[in-house]
């Protein structure tokens, strides 16, 4: 599968790059610190329960242990990690809304340079143009995804519950992101703000952006490497969503907040819808990360 290069929207190159960098930082933070937090809490819970319950190794006691682990109140560090996620999803949502609005208005102005006779005609034409763009449909899906995440995260922080369950879910979900982020960063850093490719092999005519010239050596990937990473991302995304479906079924009896379970189910629906959209697109063209 060939990973195509995302063309930065007109005037939105910096924001596109910022969105990708924020996604990378969020992924690293969740995988590293989320894993440490969950592992530490599991160890402390096991140690505390083992001291008070000598038969902790039997099946029933292990089930009780996991219930205690999953339903304990949120720790300050867990709340801090969830608030970082809230900050990331909020910023990225604003960026996506801006980029979609800018790209849509530009497309409408280009297609109808003389304007529209009425507001309804303009809105209808705009909606058609928005939905027929693959990249815009993808970004709208990201916005719905982010808002769903914010719903579950904010309710958890406000009620100080289910942080452990949410962090485990985030940890599983973010595992598939590194290959996608690597390819996207390589593509963006090798593109000028006006959308032209830079640092192409054997070509000195195009010049990458200042940011690209500074960081591209660290993210310069060959087309074959990009294809491989894109395939990995696709495979890992499907595998982790299947795992998350099983995880949601397991935690359904442990979640204390209905918003935790509700947001998890909605995110699974969005994920499998995205898989179906990519599969449909792959039947006609290349896979876009």
């Amino acid at each position: 599968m060939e990973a195509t290069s995302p063309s930065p929207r007109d005037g939105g190159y910096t924001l596109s790059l910022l969105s990708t960098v924020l996604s990378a930082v969020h992924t690293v933070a969740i995988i590293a610190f989320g894993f440490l937090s969950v592992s530490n809490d599991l160890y402390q819970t096991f140690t505390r329960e083992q001291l008070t319950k000598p038969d902790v190794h039997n099946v029933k006691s292990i089930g009780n242990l996991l219930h205690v682990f999953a339903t304990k109140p949120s720790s300050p560090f867990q709340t801090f990690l969830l608030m970082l996620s809230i900050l990331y999803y909020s910023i990225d949502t604003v960026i996506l809304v801006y980029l979609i609005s800018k790209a849509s208005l530009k497309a409408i102005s280009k297609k109808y340079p003389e304007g529209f006779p009425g507001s309804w005609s303009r809105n209808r034409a705009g909606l058609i143009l928005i939905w027929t763009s693959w990249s815009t449909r993808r970004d709208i899906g990201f916005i719905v995804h982010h808002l769903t995440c914010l719903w579950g995260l904010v309710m958890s922080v406000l009620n100080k519950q289910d942080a452990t369950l949410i962090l485990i879910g985030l940890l599983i979900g973010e595992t598939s992101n590194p290959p996608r982020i690597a390819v996207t960063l390589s593509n963006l850093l090798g593109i000028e703000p006006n959308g032209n490719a830079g640092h192409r092999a054997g070509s000195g005519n195009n010049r990458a952006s200042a940011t690209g010239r500074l960081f591209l050596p660290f993210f310069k990937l060959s087309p074959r490497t990009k294809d491989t990473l894109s395939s990995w991302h696709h495979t890992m995304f499907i595998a982790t969503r299947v795992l998350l479906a099983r995880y949601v079924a397991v935690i359904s009896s442990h979640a204390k907040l209905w918003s935790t379970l509700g947001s998890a189910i909605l995110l699974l629906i969005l994920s499998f819808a995205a898989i179906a959209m990519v599969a449909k697109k792959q039947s006609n063209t290349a896979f876009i990360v």
Side-chain angles (χ1 to χ4, degrees):
M1 292 183 296
E2 178 184 358
T4 59
S5 179
S7 298
R9 291 95 169 163
D10 183 34
Y13 174 82
T14 302
L15 288 178
S16 296
L17 184 59
L18 175 62
S19 175
T20 305
V21 171
L22 288 176
S23 178
V25 172
H26 179 255
T27 294
V28 171
I30 290 299
I31 292 178
F33 298 113
F35 177 78
L36 289 175
S37 174
V38 171
S39 300
N40 180 65
D41 289 342
L42 180 60
Y43 172 76
Q44 289 185 356
T45 302
F46 179 83
T47 302
R48 182 172 61 252
E49 292 294 306
Q50 189 178 41
L51 292 176
T52 58
K53 299 177 181 178
D55 60 341
V56 72
H57 293 292
N58 67 49
V59 176
K60 184 177 180 180
S61 294
I62 290 178
N64 293 335
L65 170 68
L66 293 177
H67 180 75
V68 171
F69 166 69
T71 58
K72 71 180 188 63
S74 306
S75 68
F77 185 65
Q78 287 177 328
T79 300
F80 172 73
L81 288 178
L82 295 189
M83 291 181 69
L84 282 182
S85 291
I86 291 173
L87 180 62
Y88 159 67
Y89 287 124
S90 299
I91 294 175
D92 203 44
T93 298
V94 173
I95 291 175
L96 289 170
V97 169
Y98 173 81
L99 292 177
I100 288 176
S101 301
K102 193 174 184 66
S104 301
L105 289 175
K106 181 185 176 183
I108 293 171
S109 299
K110 185 176 181 180
K111 188 174 182 64
Y112 302 97
E114 298 180 359
F116 301 92
S119 60
W120 166 245
S121 298
R122 178 166 186 165
N123 291 335
R124 181 174 57 184
L127 289 174
I128 292 174
L129 286 173
I130 290 172
W131 193 249
T132 53
S133 167
W134 161 260
S135 61
T136 304
R137 288 204 307 271
R138 180 189 58 196
D139 287 350
I140 291 175
F142 274 127
I143 291 174
V144 177
H145 168 273
H146 288 5
L147 292 177
T148 305
C149 289
L150 286 171
W151 174 38
L153 290 167
V154 170
M155 293 300 293
S156 175
V157 169
L158 292 178
N159 292 278
K160 294 182 170 51
Q161 293 290 344
D162 292 348
T164 300
L165 298 180
I166 292 176
L167 279 175
I168 294 176
L170 283 172
L171 185 60
I172 297 173
E174 293 292 331
T175 303
S176 64
N177 273 347
R180 174 186 66 82
I181 292 172
V183 174
T184 305
L185 277 177
S186 179
N187 289 337
L188 283 173
L189 292 175
I191 297 176
E192 293 180 348
N194 62 9
N196 296 324
H199 283 288
R200 292 163 61 181
S203 173
N205 296 327
N206 293 314
R207 184 178 63 178
S209 65
T211 305
R213 292 195 302 273
L214 181 63
F215 292 104
L216 185 59
F218 301 100
F219 294 96
K220 191 173 183 178
L221 305 175
S222 67
R224 183 174 182 179
T225 301
K226 290 180 182 180
D227 291 345
T228 301
L229 289 176
S230 297
S231 299
W232 286 0
H233 165 63
H234 193 199
T235 302
M236 292 170 64
F237 186 88
I238 295 174
T240 52
R241 269 54 191 181
V242 171
L243 178 59
L244 281 172
R246 177 57 182 165
Y247 174 69
V248 171
V250 171
I251 70 170
S252 59
S253 60
H254 300 293
K256 287 194 172 183
L257 301 175
W258 65 273
S259 56
T260 301
L261 190 59
S263 60
I265 293 174
L266 285 177
L267 288 172
L268 280 175
I269 293 174
L270 288 172
S271 294
F272 286 114
I275 292 172
M277 286 180 63
V278 171
K280 182 178 179 180
K281 184 173 178 60
Q282 278 185 311
S283 63
N284 300 316
T285 185
F287 170 55
I288 298 180
V289 294

